[in-house]
């Protein structure tokens, strides 16, 4: 069965591997505080159908409680260590199987090997207060080895932390006119791609949400990251195939047999 990647917008993807549906950072809302979904309709109901959900960190656009509430009873959710203490609302999601993990945690889930890896990012629920939970990436191995980076900046041991992978889901932008530290823009994402050297990549985390009332402020930061990543990747990682998806589009990448 071919591996299939569907991008629903922002950092939300479905990775279907070996008949198992893995959902990343589900965000199904039209509006989140000061952000509105500016491109692409919210994901359809079938996007919430998953055997496993991966949460990369505690920021509200990655750990969104109303979106998690839409998951079917018994769905397995992997979250950063300390999530239940930092986000008390998670305890209301008693219908889900919540498991806290940290970098180095390795689990067998529905026959897939799932490994949590380090991400260079602020993992706090809000931008103030103590650091209680790590930000994570995940490597999911079945018929393919798929790296979901979550939110991360470049770090020296990135290639070693991730290991050999077939597919990389890399953030290439954000939700506002400026990216803070510990993020990847199109250029840094292309450099990450060169370090990791997967067979193929899908750019994510751009072109979906934008602050209300700021449509005219640095609009290229909303529209351009995907195409810019394709251009820069062609120069820095010419052996990697980049699949530029629209919202709701899927690809079945060629992976090792």
């Amino acid at each position: 069965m071919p591996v299939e990647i569907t991008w629903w917008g922002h950092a939300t993807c479905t990775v279907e591997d070996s008949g198992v549906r893995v959902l990343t950072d589900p965000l199904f809302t039209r509006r989140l505080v000061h952000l509105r979904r500016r491109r692409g309709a919210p994901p359809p109901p079938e996007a919430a159908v998953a055997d496993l959900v991966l949460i990369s960190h505690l920021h509200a656009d990655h750990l969104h409680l109303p979106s998690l509430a839409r998951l079917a009873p018994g769905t397995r959710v992997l979250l950063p260590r300390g999530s239940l203490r930092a986000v008390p609302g998670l305890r209301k999601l008693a219908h889900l199987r919540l498991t806290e993990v940290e970098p180095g945690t390795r689990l067998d889930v529905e026959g897939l090997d799932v490994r949590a890896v380090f991400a260079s990012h602020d993992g706090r629920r809000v931008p103030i207060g103590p650091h209680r939970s790590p930000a994570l990436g995940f490597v999911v191995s079945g018929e393919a080895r798929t790296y979901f980076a979550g939110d991360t900046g470049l770090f020296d041991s990135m290639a070693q932390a991730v290991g050999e992978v077939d597919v990389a889901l890399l953030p290439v932008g954000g939700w506002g006119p400026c990216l803070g530290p510990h993020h990847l823009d199109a250029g840094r994402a292309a450099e990450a791609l060169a370090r990791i050297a997967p067979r193929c990549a899908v750019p994510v985390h751009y072109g979906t949400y934008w602050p209300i009332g700021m449509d005219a402020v640095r609009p290229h930061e909303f529209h351009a990251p995907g195409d810019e990543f394709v251009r820069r990747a062609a120069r820095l990682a010419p052996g990697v195939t980049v699949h530029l998806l629209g919202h709701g589009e899927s690809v079945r990448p060629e992976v090792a047999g």
Side-chain angles (χ1 to χ4, degrees), residues 148-232:
F148 168 59
D151 239 348
T152 187
L154 286 169
F155 55 96
D156 291 341
S157 61
M158 189 174 222
Q160 293 83 359
V162 174
E164 186 175 349
V165 292
D166 300 297
V167 185
L169 311 179
L170 291 178
V172 301
W175 50 254
C178 298
L179 281 174
H182 306 292
H183 290 82
L184 296 178
D185 59 12
R188 292 191 292 269
E191 186 176 339
L193 194 68
R195 296 184 187 188
I196 298 165
R199 290 173 175 264
C200 65
V202 176
V204 301
H205 203 277
Y206 77 100
T208 308
Y209 291 91
W210 203 249
I212 294 169
M214 297 186 67
D215 288 5
V217 179
R218 297 175 63 84
H220 63 283
E221 298 290 354
F222 179 86
H223 294 285
D227 291 329
E228 181 67 15
F229 175 69
V230 171
R231 288 192 292 270
R232 290 175 178 261

Side-chain angles (χ1 to χ4, degrees), residues 44-68:
E46 56 264 31
V49 178
D51 301 293
L52 173 66
V53 176
L54 306 177
I55 302 297
S56 64
H57 61 290
L58 305 189
H59 292 174
D61 58 322
H62 293 260
L63 194 168
H64 185 243
L65 294 173
S67 295
L68 290 176

Side-chain angles (χ1 to χ4, degrees), residues 3 21-22 28 46 113 135 153 159 162 164 173 205 216 224 235 238 250-251:
V3 174
R21 288 175 62 90
V22 181
F28 299 145
E46 56 264 31
D113 180 78
V162 174
E164 186 175 349
H205 203 277
R235 184 171 69 250
S250 302
V251 64

Side-chain angles (χ1 to χ4, degrees), residues 56-88:
S56 64
H57 61 290
L58 305 189
H59 292 174
D61 58 322
H62 293 260
L63 194 168
H64 185 243
L65 294 173
S67 295
L68 290 176
R70 292 175 53 180
L71 301 173
T75 303
R76 184 82 175 270
V77 182
L78 304 187
L79 313 101
R81 170 184 45 78
S83 297
L84 291 168
R85 180 179 62 176
V87 188

